[in-house]
Amino acid sequence: MPRPLQALIHLDALHHNLQRARECAPDARVWAVVKAHAYGHGLQRVYEGLRGADGFALLDIAEAQRLRELDWRGPILLIEGVFDARDLEWCSRLGLWHVVHCDEQINWLAQHKTEWPHRVFLKMNTGMNRLGFTPQAFRNAWLRLSALPQVDEVSFITHFSDADSPKGIAAQAEVFLTHTADLSGERSLCNSAATLRHAHDPAIRGDWIRPGVMLYGASPDYPEHDATHWGLQPAMTLHSKLIGLQYLKAGDTVGYGSTFTADREMRIGVVACGYADGYPRHAPTGTPVLVDGVRVPLIGRVSMDMLAVDLSQVPQAQMGTEVTLWGRGPHGSLLSIDEVAQHCGTIGYELMCALSPRVPVEVLQPHQG
């Protein structure tokens, strides 16, 4: 028998979460963001669940090519643009739209020979201070692009730094809307957090929203709001089984470094999952795990291939009992990846993306749950 650890991808959840994005931003078109191997879920695996989107947004030309091989004929947006002048040839060949965020990219376009003018999204840096033209340089960049025969249509894009927090988006949105007010072209402002929290405003909603992590069932503003609050469903379940049982007496320790010491007689379980599978090594004692659908605490230090849990609350647990590290558990139980991540001092995005290639993955069709 193979090792019992497995990740499940729920196509029904992906479809549901995409519809939630549409409900939050009526009349806007949707970029399904599938960068980073579709947030660790696998581009090819999520395709059927997200093909109802109006377009896909990603980083790598290789991933764009994979989408075309999957017979996607709609828009594909390179959200960091091209990294080299030679990439423009691939944009022409694959019909890719791309972000322009610096003068070098405009220079490359000006030198590019193509029969088909490109659709570009000109990026404004409104305060995130990663990529994009400053508001003061934005109009000149637009004028340069608009004059190029290599460019068909110019749209506008920005990215919010605090859409998930009380600071909010007002200042950035005002900068963007002010400096694009007299320019014609489609606009894209909203990431997942802005889609959920602010897209009710038509000016913020724009023409395209860019949901990312919400499509995969995590909340971008956890712990203020959890996924259930936003009506999202987990698209990934990581589950395993108990592969060992131990009986401790007071004073016994568990795992490397003896970081957990039993204060009483205890029955503990050993789970086939560790940091080599993508489960965080720094997960502290108390991190929640589901055993047969019952919440129990992780204890001791996570090993490369195993971790331990306290079975005090599940006396029925035996060798082979199902364990859910995050996602959908038995008997209708649920463990949010965001909650696990919070205990580990990180965010659900990181746990999704960290899933190890050695973990077998099964894609569940909607009727499989």
Side-chain angles (χ1 to χ4, degrees):
M1 290 291 291
R3 185 165 174 258
L5 182 66
Q6 184 185 44
L8 305 175
I9 306 301
H10 306 282
L11 292 184
D12 59 343
L14 291 164
H15 176 77
H16 169 87
N17 297 335
L18 176 61
Q19 293 308 115
R20 283 290 298 124
R22 289 197 183 281
E23 291 168 6
C24 291
D27 303 324
R29 281 172 286 175
V30 179
W31 292 113
V33 181
V34 291
K35 62 180 181 175
H37 200 46
Y39 287 60
H41 294 66
L43 179 59
Q44 189 161 339
R45 298 182 194 119
V46 305
Y47 177 68
E48 287 299 324
L50 296 178
R51 67 182 306 171
D54 299 289
F56 286 93
L58 40 71
L59 299 186
D60 298 324
I61 289 175
E63 291 180 330
Q65 187 170 12
R66 196 166 303 122
L67 276 174
R68 293 300 188 215
E69 290 167 355
L70 289 169
D71 204 32
W72 175 254
R73 294 292 174 259
I76 299 174
L77 177 67
L78 298 177
I79 52 178
E80 290 184 4
V82 297
F83 302 106
D84 185 275
R86 291 168 294 184
D87 294 342
L88 292 170
E89 180 58 38
W90 281 101
C91 292
S92 295
R93 190 178 306 175
L94 297 172
L96 307 183
W97 302 3
H98 50 101
V99 166
V100 172
H101 60 76
C102 62
D103 285 318
E104 288 79 2
Q105 291 174 330
I106 300 179
N107 295 339
W108 295 338
L109 268 168
Q111 298 162 10
H112 177 55
K113 294 179 172 59
T114 179
E115 296 180 17
W116 307 103
H118 289 217
R119 174 76 178 270
V120 300
F121 275 70
L122 181 61
K123 186 163 192 174
M124 185 187 298
N125 173 14
T126 55
M128 183 76 170
N129 289 313
R130 293 192 313 190
L131 301 178
F133 291 91
T134 65
Q136 295 72 29
F138 192 78
R139 183 169 295 270
N140 185 59
W142 173 76
L143 288 169
R144 287 190 65 200
L145 282 173
S146 299
L148 292 180
Q150 293 90 341
V151 174
D152 175 28
E153 185 175 342
V154 181
S155 301
F156 309 109
I157 191 169
T158 194
H159 193 69
F160 294 127
S161 58
D162 294 278
D164 58 347
S165 72
K167 181 179 178 181
I169 66 169
Q172 283 186 265
E174 182 179 4
V175 169
F176 181 81
L177 295 173
T178 298
H179 285 84
T180 61
D182 62 337
L183 304 180
S184 61
E186 294 183 340
R187 288 150 171 77
S188 178
L189 297 85
C190 290
N191 56 5
S192 287
T195 295
L196 291 167
R197 295 168 66 110
H198 304 290
H200 55 274
D201 180 342
I204 302 302
R205 185 186 313 152
D207 302 286
W208 290 87
I209 59 172
R210 307 188 306 275
V213 79
M214 68 173 291
L215 297 178
Y216 307 97
S219 172
D221 61 353
Y222 188 87
E224 181 179 352
H225 299 110
D226 62 16
T228 302
H229 171 87
W230 294 121
L232 304 173
Q233 299 176 4
M236 178 193 291
T237 293
L238 182 63
H239 73 148
S240 187
K241 292 181 180 180
L242 294 180
I243 60 169
L245 302 170
Q246 296 292 338
Y247 296 83
L248 309 184
K249 58 182 182 297
D252 285 346
T253 63
V254 176
Y256 287 116
S258 299
T259 59
F260 176 84
T261 302
D263 60 1
R264 65 189 190 282
E265 290 188 350
M266 295 178 64
R267 182 169 175 263
I268 69 170
V270 178
V271 182
C273 182
Y275 62 77
D277 303 301
Y279 196 89
R281 180 180 181 274
H282 56 277
T285 290
T287 301
V289 177
L290 300 180
V291 176
D292 195 28
V294 178
R295 292 170 68 97
V296 303
L298 180 149
I299 57 173
R301 186 175 292 168
V302 175
S303 299
M304 180 181 287
D305 310 303
M306 290 173 278
L307 57 84
V309 294
D310 179 0
L311 297 179
S312 301
Q313 301 301 313
V314 275
Q316 74 276 17
Q318 299 292 337
M319 288 279 290
T321 295
E322 183 170 351
V323 177
T324 307
L325 287 312
W326 59 69
R328 303 181 187 183
H331 319 302
S333 60
L334 191 68
L335 178 58
S336 164
I337 195 171
D338 297 315
E339 185 179 358
V340 177
Q342 185 187 39
H343 276 80
C344 300
T346 184
I347 54 177
Y349 303 64
E350 184 176 4
L351 298 192
M352 293 176 186
C353 293
L355 186 71
S356 169
R358 80 170 186 172
V359 178
V361 180
E362 180 182 356
V363 178
L364 297 183
Q365 300 298 322
H367 67 275
Q368 294 178 276

